[in-house]
Amino acid sequence: MADKEDADVVIWRKGGTVYAETRTGAPAALLDALDAAGLQRRTQAVYTWHEVPQNLTKEQERQLASRATAMAADAGYYVQISPELFDLGVHDQAVTELVTTRRNTESPAGPGTTPATPAPSTPPRRTGPRR
């Protein structure tokens, strides 16, 4: 799906399952970011994809998908997410947490520098840098 849609990750629902499909040969860092977001990695033959855990409510699925979108985009990947799975509030909260964590773990900036702030968010269908 990601290869067809020209995105690093495509997050979508098919039937009762939410999938995060990556490009063929996706880098380990991207797969690790999706793991860290709480998605479950699946493999079969040469294919690798992620799914939300089966025991979640529809709202929890939206939250997890939105958080995964923020985390993958923050890591520099181009993400496309189905609009019904995108929760702007959860996305913005995840971006804020990522920026705060980065500020707390990076070495202090020199005098006169201003820390980066998250870009204003709108409910995009695609996030992250365009490839």
Side-chain angles (χ1 to χ4, degrees):
M1 178 71 84
D3 291 325
K4 182 178 125 184
E5 295 295 327
D6 194 28
D8 293 310
V9 182
V10 176
I11 301 175
W12 60 293
R13 179 184 304 279
K14 180 179 180 185
T17 304
V18 175
Y19 296 95
E21 293 188 11
T22 56
R23 289 182 180 275
T24 304
L30 173 56
L31 301 175
D32 292 344
L34 296 172
D35 292 343
L39 296 170
Q40 297 176 335
R41 191 183 305 197
R42 306 277 192 237
T43 57
Q44 183 177 20
V46 297
Y47 301 105
T48 300
W49 70 95
H50 285 77
E51 297 177 10
V52 299
Q54 295 297 315
N55 59 342
L56 300 181
T57 66
K58 298 278 189 224
E59 184 57 30
Q60 290 170 323
E61 290 175 346
R62 280 174 41 96
Q63 291 171 358
L64 184 57
S66 297
R67 184 166 187 74
T69 299
M71 293 176 77
D74 183 68
Y77 297 102
Y78 186 43
V79 182
Q80 180 178 341
I81 183 170
S82 296
E84 71 273 5
L85 294 173
F86 188 78
D87 183 312
L88 179 60
V90 171
H91 179 271
D92 287 350
Q93 180 181 359
V95 169
T96 300
E97 290 169 5
L98 290 164
V99 169
T100 300
T101 299
R102 194 169 24 260
R103 284 182 187 161
N104 292 337
T105 58
E106 290 179 350
S107 60
T113 60
T114 305
T117 56
S121 294
T122 57
R125 288 190 48 222
R126 295 177 178 241
T127 63
R130 179 99 170 120
R131 290 198 169 212

